[in-house]
Amino acid sequence: MSYKKSFHRLPSKAPLTLALSAALMLPMAHAVAQDADTTEESKTAQAADAATLDRIVVTGSRIAKDTFNAVSPVQVITREETTVAGFASTTGVLQSNAVTGGSDQINNAYGGYVVNGGPGVNTLSLRGLGPTRTLMLMNGRRIAPAGSRGAVGSADLNVLPSIMISHIEVLKDGASSIYGSDAVAGVVNVVTQNKLDGGQVEFQVNVPEHGGGEEMRWSGMFGTSGDSWRVSGSLDIYDRKEIQFGQRGWASDCPREYYGRNADGSYGADDFRDPVTGEVVCWGLDAGGVTIGTLGTANAATNFFAPGSVGSGANGNVFNRWRPNAAATGSPIIGFEGVDYYTRTTYEPEMEKESLISPTTNVTGFLQGAIDVPALGNTEAYFEVLAHRRESEQNGYLQHTVDYAVGSPLLGQWGYLPAFLLAPADGSTNGRNVAARAFIGWGLYRNWQEVDFTRATAGLRGELGAGWNYDGYVSFAKSDSDYYTENRLTDRIAKAYDVVADGRGGFVCRDTSDGCVAAPVLSYDVVNGVLPQAYRDYIMQVTHGQTEYTEKTFSFGVNGPLFDMPWDAGGTVRGAFGVEYRGSEIDDTPDANSINSNLYGFTSSTPTRGKDNVQEAYAEVELPLLSGVTGAEELTLNGSVRYTDYDSYGSDKTWKLGLLYTPVSWLSIRASRGTSFRAPALFEQFLGATSGFTGSSGDPCNDWGASNDTSSNRYLNCQSLGLDPNFQQTSSITVLTKGGAETGLAAETSTSLTAGIVLQPEMPSWFGDLSIAADYYDVQVDNGVARLTGGQVLSLCYGQSPAEFTAGTGYCGLVQRDANNGLRVTTGYVNVATDIVRGWDFTVRYTRDIGPGQFRANAVITSFLEQSGKTFPDDPFRDSSGTIGSPEKTGQLNLTYALRNWSFNYGLDWVEGINGYEYYEKYNDVDYRPFYQMMIDDHFISNASVQYRGDDWTVTAGVRNLADKDPPVISSGAYTVIGNAPLYSGYDMIGRSYHMTISKKF
């Protein structure tokens, strides 16, 4: 964090002046002063302010210095840039491709998915290595994780203030030796304005052209100071409305397979078309894996089936799925016609009301201050308080099933149907086998969260004498969340099936003590989703869970000069030394129905409770070997080391060496190499047991006798169990997932290398100023934490040697087979994965006076050479670079022309085209061209804005996505999609939108 001694604190305009020089190293876009006063008086004042600067601290180092030049590239983003770009929140700019390089981010389009941190969370992942490998700081201090549910482990970007931010520093380099755990892919430091006299109010609105998703932000900040004290604060209120699928044509256009590509570039000529409507079949649920408006039964031969349907059996007329057709009176399932995979219904208009972009209201307050402490000499006591409240909500769509047991009176006229499913393991049918299952479209259900986050910091900093400074602080952070979900309860469903006649031709529950409402009798209406409201209200209840995450920190560090180099051309060797303690604890208590596995169709979980502590010591030394001599304007070596001792897994050491060489004033070369680590997140260690089920087809011993390799471990192990060679599993496989503390989960380790060159050629004045930066990066994560699936554990167990298998050791210790040959698998987090990312970051900045104004251009390109990984040590590496969600290249271009009080801005975002076929051809030897559309052309989004500055007010207005570009189209079976667009944060899902920001100072 940047700070000054009590008599000469950092001026409010100075950080942005320094940001300008940092932008020459690796800018996001133009870096401009927050206060763009251009009078001679203001320039003189700014120069005087800058002259009072002594030394500052740059992200990536703890050594105070008088220049932003550093061995590691630092990208600086000013708040001015976020305003002209039209971002309504700090979250938006941090998740943009300019920062992330095209890596996929957990954002507001993931509300209906299971993500770490719970629905509504927004996290940041650098280099595609995940948010738990990206360290978030605010004013140089950690931002603790926030969110809901048991897998809270990363900072939630929602908690960050907006108007109070001065600038953001992004270090895309491993830095665990400087900051400790998590700084594997990089570090992001959000810096607030240090000193403020006066106040400012701001209003921003973003309005999408196609409706929904309106964003509004009301902000205010204030500040005042005296000779020996200062205090400032801010309040941000941010509100975003929901965008439903139906409000975007591309999203409400139901998912289609889009088989192949035609000669003219169109898609879908080979798609299956419904013979009745002539339209391409729509896969609204799981890309066709499930259905609605359909009845499931045992196989039955029939001549009544939907046009185009193809059954099974010798004559092709055997079906086990049916849809209502009153004319099918001669059907074995009276009044139903057979349907196959392609003629099943999987889409209904109610799905268009799902949340595409989830709504949220965020309120964030920030207060900071400092006062001189005369009793301690040149010392300053300071404090910070960050308080945040998030209320977010998501609307999703549910498929429901009503199971009719063999012989149940609820079968009505279909009481003759035989069993086709064994009694579900969840007990929902009271242990009775199923004769008919109605696959029903339930409609919408709600999730909502209330998250309160607080971080309080207090510290002392000052001078020790002889140029040495110190900074010590204590900090406490707490995330407290309540999360709610509308869930169907299994025990209530079971009660609703246990019925007796009511004497009036209907049925009532046998046990009515809790207001039980009987399940409906099987009918056409039931299959079509028409359920009695009283029954719906009885089985669906609001479930409520609570999550608390706390983090306590104590840190003390000193930095200053050590000695002068023993030669004239050398400088003063400076060092930084410190100690730090952190203690963190998680306590997630799901609803009692979740703990007791009573959620129908949803994964159940038990409490997640655990804590961890770490003690650390670090040292950093910077040696200015040469300065101001021929062939070495600057030659600086930097080294750092950190010793870490975690309660959870023990001690570790990390180190980093860096070199900065400037042979001539217009050329700098920098390089660094070091190690980093990531301690397992609390949820990875202590995640409460989560129970679920997987299909019976996953049993490795199914039909084991048909294997041609009679010497394989799978064959021998299944044979040793005494199973019939034609054995087939008839029950679902129970999968229990838990944290990895019990299995000795250890920290991930990584190595990183960066090397770059910065060119600032001395050009003629008429040409303007040109700066070019190119940085190579190479990060490898070893011993990575991975969450194994039940199928992976079974495969590993049955692939072990017969001796290990019989002994039940290794992975077989996680597998149990009961007396009825039912399988139970325990899985969780283990240290087995390896990830590698390599590539280049390129930046070009050009400025030139044109006429009465100044033109400024910035271009940033991220190019991945490799994004590969493997789950197990014996697996081959698979490089996903160039696949959907992992583009090889992304780029941003920003053009600005500043003329007196006016500024005109244009931005262009680029995501390189994707060829998804190459990945599967290379690694699976499969050509998917005849089956799926997996190619995407280069994608461009343009933005434009204009800004006018008055004496104490500013107005900015603009348009994002000028061309109203829709996301690209792919096959629904090839990737997770919304409509037929890939679920990927790098593509704009909002469409053309208009933004305006009005700011007034006083």
Side-chain angles (χ1 to χ4, degrees):
M1 172 184 175
S2 302
Y3 75 92
K4 271 299 297 172
K5 58 186 181 180
S6 57
F7 298 114
H8 298 95
R9 298 187 191 90
L10 191 65
S12 59
K13 296 177 184 177
L16 296 171
T17 305
L18 292 164
L20 183 60
S21 23
L24 298 179
M25 295 172 57
L26 203 131
M28 165 196 168
H30 56 276
V32 297
Q34 180 111 359
D35 190 344
D37 217 342
T38 56
T39 63
E40 288 302 318
E41 291 81 2
S42 69
K43 291 178 180 178
T44 302
Q46 290 183 32
D49 281 344
T52 67
L53 292 178
D54 194 2
R55 292 182 176 86
I56 60 173
V57 176
V58 181
T59 299
S61 173
R62 292 185 180 270
I63 296 176
K65 61 198 78 176
D66 56 6
T67 174
F68 250 101
N69 226 12
V71 297
S72 296
V74 178
Q75 177 180 358
V76 177
I77 307 163
T78 69
R79 187 168 184 276
E80 180 77 6
E81 293 166 344
T82 70
T83 301
V84 299
F87 292 111
S89 65
T90 307
T91 299
V93 65
L94 286 175
Q95 291 188 328
S96 68
N97 284 345
V99 175
T100 65
S103 299
D104 197 18
Q105 307 298 308
I106 300 301
N107 61 13
N108 305 305
Y110 281 79
Y113 296 84
V114 178
V115 296
N116 292 342
V121 74
N122 283 256
T123 55
L124 180 63
S125 167
L126 296 179
R127 306 293 193 207
L129 290 174
T132 58
R133 294 170 180 164
T134 299
L135 180 60
M136 290 292 305
L137 307 174
M138 183 172 172
N139 292 330
R141 292 178 283 274
R142 286 172 173 263
I143 300 175
S148 61
R149 304 184 183 269
V152 175
S154 303
D156 182 4
L157 304 182
N158 287 302
V159 309
L160 297 173
S162 179
I163 192 172
M164 197 67 181
I165 291 177
S166 163
H167 63 281
I168 299 169
E169 300 168 1
V170 182
L171 171 72
K172 296 182 182 180
D173 190 12
S176 285
S177 61
I178 304 295
Y179 297 108
S181 178
D182 305 341
V184 175
V187 181
V188 175
N189 185 23
V190 177
V191 182
T192 61
Q193 297 195 44
N194 185 267
K195 182 180 178 183
L196 179 68
D197 285 302
Q200 182 176 334
V201 293
E202 190 169 273
F203 172 72
Q204 182 173 5
V205 59
N206 289 25
V207 181
E209 183 174 299
H210 302 292
E214 295 86 358
E215 295 177 284
M216 286 186 286
R217 177 174 56 82
W218 298 266
S219 299
M221 66 178 176
F222 73 95
T224 186
S225 63
D227 292 336
S228 61
W229 60 274
R230 58 183 168 84
V231 64
S232 57
S234 67
L235 178 67
D236 296 283
I237 302 175
Y238 170 77
D239 183 77
R240 182 183 64 246
K241 304 301 182 185
E242 178 188 41
I243 298 180
Q244 297 180 350
F245 279 28
Q247 292 178 296
R248 296 295 181 270
W250 59 266
S252 59
D253 181 18
C254 64
R256 293 177 167 86
E257 288 180 318
Y258 289 116
Y259 277 155
R261 179 189 282 247
N262 302 321
D264 62 358
S266 62
Y267 307 112
D270 296 327
D271 283 353
F272 182 85
R273 295 179 181 270
D274 189 306
V276 177
T277 65
E279 296 294 326
V280 175
V281 170
C282 177
W283 304 110
L285 290 172
D286 297 343
V290 289
T291 180
I292 56 178
T294 305
L295 186 70
T297 70
N299 288 333
T302 182
N303 290 321
F304 294 91
F305 48 86
S309 292
V310 179
S312 60
N315 299 320
N317 64 346
V318 175
F319 294 84
N320 59 14
R321 296 292 184 270
W322 314 80
R323 69 183 179 191
N325 182 350
T329 56
S331 172
I333 315 299
I334 300 171
F336 285 86
E337 65 181 5
V339 290
D340 65 3
Y341 180 85
Y342 285 100
T343 49
R344 299 176 191 176
T345 300
T346 66
Y347 190 83
E348 69 169 354
E350 190 77 0
M351 295 178 184
E352 297 184 9
K353 298 179 182 178
E354 286 189 86
S355 298
L356 171 63
I357 301 294
S358 60
T360 189
T361 298
N362 300 341
V363 180
T364 305
F366 178 72
L367 186 67
Q368 64 181 359
I371 186 171
D372 291 347
V373 185
L376 297 177
N378 203 4
T379 294
E380 179 183 72
Y382 64 92
F383 74 91
E384 286 182 3
V385 177
L386 174 66
H388 168 81
R389 166 83 169 186
R390 165 163 63 93
E391 297 180 358
S392 50
E393 179 180 340
Q394 304 82 36
N395 290 310
Y397 182 86
L398 274 180
Q399 181 216 39
H400 183 61
T401 56
V402 179
D403 286 340
Y404 294 93
V406 175
S408 169
L410 297 175
L411 279 167
Q413 64 173 314
W414 293 279
Y416 59 86
L417 292 175
F420 90 107
L421 287 176
L422 295 178
D426 60 7
S428 59
T429 63
N430 303 297
R432 301 176 65 184
N433 294 339
V434 178
R437 170 172 286 179
F439 296 91
I440 296 168
W442 176 276
L444 299 180
Y445 76 103
R446 294 174 61 222
N447 284 291
W448 65 101
Q449 307 82 36
E450 298 170 356
V451 181
D452 293 298
F453 176 82
T454 306
R455 188 185 78 163
T457 301
L460 292 173
R461 59 191 172 200
E463 296 180 347
L464 296 172
W468 282 82
N469 301 310
Y470 74 91
D471 187 352
Y473 68 89
V474 293
S475 181
F476 176 80
K478 181 178 181 179
S479 171
D480 190 350
S481 68
D482 292 270
Y483 54 95
Y484 304 84
T485 305
E486 292 179 334
N487 267 308
R488 298 154 298 170
L489 303 184
T490 304
D491 63 348
R492 292 196 168 204
I493 289 174
K495 280 188 177 182
Y497 289 149
D498 186 11
V499 299
V500 295
D502 64 0
R504 298 186 300 273
F507 301 94
V508 295
C509 297
R510 188 183 305 275
D511 178 3
T512 60
S513 60
D514 62 353
C516 178
V517 177
V521 176
L522 180 60
S523 67
Y524 298 153
D525 282 346
V526 168
V527 175
N528 286 324
V530 181
L531 299 173
Q533 190 62 44
Y535 169 72
R536 294 168 64 99
D537 292 342
Y538 171 69
I539 67 171
M540 177 167 271
Q541 301 290 307
V542 174
T543 57
H544 169 218
Q546 292 180 292
T547 308
E548 286 189 3
Y549 192 105
T550 59
E551 186 169 277
K552 303 171 185 177
T553 304
F554 165 77
S555 179
F556 181 82
V558 297
N559 73 85
L562 293 171
F563 56 88
D564 292 334
M565 299 298 291
W567 50 84
D568 292 340
T572 300
V573 177
R574 306 187 67 85
F577 308 91
V579 294
E580 187 168 303
Y581 165 85
R582 289 192 310 279
S584 53
E585 184 172 0
I586 190 171
D587 186 340
D588 174 64
T589 305
D591 189 270
N593 289 289
S594 176
I595 296 173
N596 296 321
S597 299
N598 195 36
L599 305 182
Y600 186 71
F602 270 67
T603 297
S604 295
S605 56
T606 59
T608 297
R609 296 190 177 109
K611 58 185 178 181
D612 203 359
N613 299 290
V614 58
Q615 299 84 37
E616 298 179 294
Y618 65 86
E620 181 184 2
V621 177
E622 186 157 284
L623 294 86
L625 302 177
L626 295 173
S627 178
V629 298
T630 301
E633 291 286 334
E634 180 178 0
L635 177 61
T636 300
L637 181 67
N638 180 282
S640 57
V641 64
R642 175 176 289 251
Y643 174 80
T644 300
D645 188 4
Y646 270 88
D647 284 355
S648 59
Y649 74 91
S651 60
D652 200 353
K653 293 186 291 293
T654 55
W655 59 268
K656 185 176 181 179
L657 288 175
L659 180 71
L660 176 66
Y661 176 45
T662 304
V664 290
S665 60
W666 52 268
L667 171 65
S668 289
I669 300 170
R670 58 191 176 209
S672 67
R673 181 172 178 81
T675 62
S676 291
F677 76 101
R678 183 180 75 85
L682 290 181
F683 75 88
E684 291 172 331
Q685 298 184 63
F686 305 109
L687 183 70
T690 302
S691 62
F693 300 93
T694 187
S696 59
S697 61
D699 191 328
C701 289
N702 284 337
D703 204 22
W704 64 270
S707 174
N708 292 325
D709 187 359
T710 58
S711 63
S712 69
N713 287 340
R714 169 183 168 266
Y715 183 97
L716 296 173
N717 291 333
C718 290
Q719 184 183 53
S720 70
L721 295 173
L723 297 174
D724 187 278
N726 299 318
F727 169 80
Q728 289 292 323
Q729 181 62 259
T730 58
S731 301
S732 296
I733 300 170
T734 301
V735 179
L736 191 70
T737 304
K738 59 175 64 176
E742 297 177 5
T743 58
L745 191 65
E748 299 176 342
T749 59
S750 67
T751 57
S752 64
L753 167 70
T754 62
I757 184 171
V758 180
L759 297 173
Q760 296 175 261
E762 299 174 357
M763 310 298 292
S765 59
W766 59 264
F767 180 84
D769 294 325
L770 176 67
S771 302
I772 303 172
D775 288 281
Y776 172 79
Y777 56 88
D778 186 337
V779 183
Q780 177 167 329
V781 178
D782 295 309
N783 208 36
V785 176
R787 183 175 180 174
L788 300 184
T789 67
Q792 287 174 320
V793 173
L794 285 170
S795 177
L796 290 167
C797 168
Y798 280 79
Q800 290 184 177
S801 69
E804 292 175 307
F805 179 82
T806 302
T809 57
Y811 289 104
C812 286
L814 304 174
V815 178
Q816 292 177 311
R817 188 180 290 270
D818 61 28
N820 295 320
N821 281 312
L823 278 175
R824 180 184 178 92
V825 182
T826 301
T827 184
Y829 294 93
V830 294
N831 293 99
V832 290
T834 303
D835 294 289
I836 297 175
V837 292
R838 296 186 300 112
W840 286 88
D841 288 326
F842 300 97
T843 300
V844 178
R845 180 173 187 256
Y846 174 73
T847 61
R848 185 182 188 277
D849 291 336
I850 299 179
Q854 185 186 59
F855 171 75
R856 188 166 45 241
N858 290 274
V860 178
I861 294 176
T862 296
S863 175
F864 282 99
L865 301 176
E866 181 180 1
Q867 300 177 72
S868 63
K870 59 180 180 179
T871 301
F872 300 107
D874 294 335
D875 290 348
F877 278 103
R878 293 194 170 202
D879 185 1
S880 62
S881 191
T883 62
I884 299 168
S886 301
E888 285 188 4
K889 298 182 181 68
T890 58
Q892 298 76 41
L893 173 67
N894 291 276
L895 308 176
T896 300
Y897 184 68
L899 175 64
R900 299 184 180 90
N901 293 19
W902 292 88
S903 176
F904 304 90
N905 309 278
Y906 171 80
L908 179 68
D909 291 345
W910 164 59
V911 178
E912 189 184 35
I914 298 298
N915 184 347
Y917 301 116
E918 294 179 348
Y919 178 88
Y920 294 99
E921 290 174 351
K922 180 177 181 180
Y923 298 111
N924 293 2
D925 196 25
V926 176
D927 183 5
Y928 278 117
R929 285 177 174 81
F931 305 106
Y932 294 119
Q933 159 50 23
M934 298 172 66
M935 291 191 68
I936 297 174
D937 294 332
D938 285 27
H939 193 76
F940 297 93
I941 295 291
S942 295
N943 312 297
S945 66
V946 59
Q947 184 179 83
Y948 180 82
R949 287 182 172 274
D951 292 336
D952 56 6
W953 58 275
T954 304
V955 175
T956 306
V959 183
R960 292 188 61 79
N961 196 346
L962 275 168
D964 197 22
K965 191 76 172 291
D966 290 339
V969 169
I970 61 170
S971 297
S972 63
Y975 192 73
T976 303
V977 295
I978 297 179
N980 272 104
L983 179 59
Y984 166 58
S985 63
Y987 299 130
D988 179 74
M989 295 188 176
I990 297 175
R992 185 186 293 124
S993 62
Y994 306 92
H995 64 88
M996 176 176 286
T997 304
I998 302 173
S999 179
K1000 176 71 168 66
K1001 295 181 179 179
F1002 56 89

